[in-house]
């Protein structure tokens, strides 16, 4: 069985391999790198051709290789400081103009690489002066005293070559930043959905499971005592299992169908079946949907805590409204000391998150006589 799983995993990895490689090749940096390589190659071909005609192919090729290596290093680096390595631009400028006296007009297209480097530098430090220098680094050689050393067409086209290179690099970097931002948004969305699923699973399914355990324990006691209520408890337990199945589907699909009125009736039935006298008082109706949902979760959490963390005999639930503030109060006796003081539990943390999103808050107090009061305050939106 383990070998079959290993083979299946290996097969899936092989299928994903070509897709992953194609996805990597289509990344912005790969596309930008190909565009940069094509531009440099387009400038290198006429330079090497002219050097070959002048008989200086070897010396010119070595100089060009050093110049291109420095140029690529500068424009593709992630500078520690805002500007980056100034010395590379200085060396590139030196390797651009000084070899003109040796290689002649064949070396003129190199001015396009210097223009691109100056534009990249200008973009990093937001300098207008460097932009002007980049646009002038080609035409400035037209002022040379010996016109045979200069190719006028390439001297005038150098700023255009620099602008094209700067555009390719800028677009590739912006595309990469947009891709990273999109990935970050997707990760946050996944994290929020995972948080919603965890919270709803605890608040809905956890409550039902707690009630189900209590029902089964009650049913076991009634069967042992041969009580006639056992049949009714079996029916309620089956209904609870159906509700649990519905809640699981609701959590899985992100559906919300909370009903505060139905939950109040369920709370009364549950508490009384656990032999807890229950008093419910409601003085507000027609609550907004988000307020009603938050109070429904609060009621579930409060009743669950009464059954799980107390030996209650009496419990009261009051739902009141005053000055556009809705308050749900659950008060019970028989409080047991907590196992770990200060441990609020995941349920209360989830509830606090829900209520705070509506501008509300929680309050919990206990007395020496074993009375515990749990209140939830939520403002009603006008």
């Amino acid at each position: 069985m383990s070998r079959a799983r290993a083979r299946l995993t290996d097969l899936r990895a092989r299928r994903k391999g070509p897709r992953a490689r194609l996805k990597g090749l289509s990344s912005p940096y790969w596309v930008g790198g190909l565009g940069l390589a094509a531009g440099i190659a387009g400038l290198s071909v006429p330079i090497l051709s002219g050097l070959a005609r002048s008989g200086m192919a070897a010396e010119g090729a070595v100089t060009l290789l050093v110049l291109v290596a420095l140029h690529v290093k500068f424009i593709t680096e992630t500078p520690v400081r805002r500007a980056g390595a100034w010395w590379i631009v200085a060396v590139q400028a030196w390797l651009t103009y000084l070899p003109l006296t040796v290689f002649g007009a064949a070396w003129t297209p190199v001015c396009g690489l210097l223009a691109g480097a100056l534009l990249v530098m200008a973009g990093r430090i937001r300098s207008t002066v460097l932009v002007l220098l980049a646009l002038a680094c080609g035409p400035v050689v037209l002022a040379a005293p010996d016109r045979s050393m200069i190719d006028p067409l390439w001297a005038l086209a150098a700023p255009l070559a620099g602008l094209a290179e700067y555009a390719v690099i800028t677009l590739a970097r912006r595309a990469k930043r947009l891709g990273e931002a999109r990935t970050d948004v997707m990760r946050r969305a996944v994290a929020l959905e995972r948080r919603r699923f965890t919270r709803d699973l605890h608040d809905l399914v956890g409550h039902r499971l707690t009630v189900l355990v209590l029902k089964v324990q009650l049913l076991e006691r009634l069967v042992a005592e041969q009580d006639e209520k056992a049949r009714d408890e079996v029916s309620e337990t089956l209904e609870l299992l159906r509700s649990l199945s519905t809640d699981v589907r609701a959590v899985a699909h992100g559906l919300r169908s909370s009903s505060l009125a139905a939950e109040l009736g369920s709370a009364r039935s549950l508490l009384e079946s656990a032999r807890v006298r229950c008093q419910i008082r409601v003085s507000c109706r027609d609550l907004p949907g988000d307020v009603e949902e938050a109070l429904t979760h609060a009621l579930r959490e409060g009743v669950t805590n009464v059954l799980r963390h107390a030996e209650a005999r009496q419990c009261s639930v009051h739902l009141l409204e005053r000055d556009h503030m809705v308050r749900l109060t659950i008060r019970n006796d028989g409080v047991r000391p907590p196992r770990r003081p200060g441990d609020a539990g995941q349920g209360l943390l989830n509830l606090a998150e829900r209520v705070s999103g509506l501008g509300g808050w929680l309050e919990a107090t206990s007395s020496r006589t074993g009375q515990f009061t749990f209140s939830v305050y939520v403002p009603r939106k006008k």
Side-chain angles (χ1 to χ4, degrees):
M1 191 67 178
S2 58
R3 292 182 180 178
R5 290 181 179 177
R7 291 178 181 177
L8 181 59
T9 303
D10 183 61
L11 180 60
R12 290 177 178 175
R14 290 180 181 178
R15 290 180 178 178
K16 291 181 180 179
R19 296 181 182 177
R21 287 192 292 269
L22 289 176
K23 185 177 180 180
L25 291 176
S26 63
S27 65
Y29 259 30
W30 271 101
V31 175
L34 291 176
L36 178 63
I40 293 176
L43 288 177
S44 300
V45 170
I47 294 174
L48 294 176
S49 299
L51 292 173
R53 288 193 299 268
S54 63
M56 297 183 179
E59 300 89 338
V62 173
T63 307
L64 181 62
L65 180 62
V66 174
L67 178 61
V68 169
L70 290 174
H71 179 72
V72 172
K73 174 179 174 57
F74 176 75
I75 64 177
T76 59
E77 71 175 350
T78 303
V80 178
R81 294 174 295 177
R82 189 175 179 183
W86 274 93
W87 67 272
I88 296 181
V89 180
V91 173
Q92 184 175 344
W94 182 73
L95 290 176
T96 298
Y97 294 117
L98 186 61
L100 284 173
T101 60
V102 179
F103 302 131
W107 197 251
T108 308
V110 172
C111 295
L113 298 179
L114 180 60
L118 290 174
L119 288 174
V120 171
M121 176 73 77
R124 290 176 182 174
I125 65 175
R126 303 292 190 271
S127 173
T128 306
V129 176
L130 286 180
V131 174
L132 296 177
L133 289 176
L135 297 178
C137 67
V140 73
V141 300
L142 296 175
D146 187 1
R147 291 296 183 90
S148 63
M149 298 171 53
I150 305 301
D151 187 336
L153 293 179
W154 274 111
L156 295 175
L160 298 178
L163 287 172
E165 183 181 60
Y166 175 75
V168 170
I169 295 172
T170 303
L171 290 176
R173 288 178 175 172
R174 289 184 178 178
K176 182 183 179 182
R177 286 196 295 267
L178 289 175
E180 292 175 349
R182 182 179 63 181
T183 303
D184 185 58
V185 170
M186 293 175 62
R187 288 177 179 173
R188 291 183 180 180
V190 170
L192 289 175
E193 180 62 18
R194 185 181 293 114
R195 173 61 181 159
R196 180 204 66 81
F197 183 83
T198 303
R199 183 182 62 189
D200 290 350
L201 188 66
H202 178 278
D203 294 346
L204 293 176
V205 180
H207 170 76
R208 299 296 189 194
L209 288 175
T210 301
V211 175
L212 182 60
V213 170
L214 294 173
K215 285 286 187 181
V216 172
Q217 291 176 349
L218 176 60
L219 182 59
E220 182 182 16
R221 187 175 70 249
L222 293 176
V223 170
E225 297 175 356
Q226 296 183 352
D227 197 318
E228 296 180 356
K229 294 182 179 180
R231 185 186 300 274
D232 297 334
E233 291 298 331
V234 169
S235 300
E236 292 183 8
T237 303
L238 290 176
E239 185 63 29
L240 183 61
L241 287 172
R242 295 189 184 99
S243 300
L244 178 60
S245 176
T246 303
D247 288 340
V248 170
R249 287 195 297 268
V251 171
H253 297 285
L255 302 177
R256 298 181 178 180
S257 57
S258 302
S259 173
L260 184 56
E263 197 64 33
L264 286 169
S266 176
R268 179 192 294 275
S269 175
L270 176 61
L271 290 171
E272 290 180 350
S273 66
R275 298 180 180 179
V276 179
R277 294 179 58 187
C278 180
Q279 177 187 8
I280 296 179
R281 178 185 174 189
V282 179
S283 64
C284 58
R285 304 287 181 181
D286 300 327
L287 296 174
D290 51 355
V291 175
E292 182 175 354
E293 181 183 1
L295 293 177
T296 301
H297 286 288
L299 180 61
R300 288 173 180 165
E301 182 64 24
V303 172
T304 302
N305 289 337
V306 171
L307 297 174
R308 183 182 295 175
H309 303 298
E311 298 175 353
R313 291 293 176 264
Q314 293 183 354
C315 180
S316 62
V317 179
H318 292 173
L319 182 61
L320 310 174
E321 180 180 0
R322 180 179 297 177
D323 298 331
H324 301 288
M325 180 67 68
V326 182
R327 185 188 69 185
L328 173 66
T329 302
I330 302 175
R331 184 177 291 106
N332 64 276
D333 58 0
V335 177
R336 295 193 299 263
R339 295 180 180 178
R340 291 183 298 176
D343 188 4
Q346 187 62 39
L348 291 180
L349 294 177
N350 293 341
L351 183 59
E353 181 181 344
R354 291 180 186 272
V355 174
S356 62
L358 300 175
W361 66 91
L362 309 179
E363 289 184 358
T365 59
S366 58
S367 65
R368 297 181 179 179
T369 59
Q371 294 285 336
F372 182 79
T373 303
F374 173 66
S375 299
V376 180
Y377 295 85
V378 181
R380 176 198 280 267
K381 297 180 180 179
K382 298 182 180 180

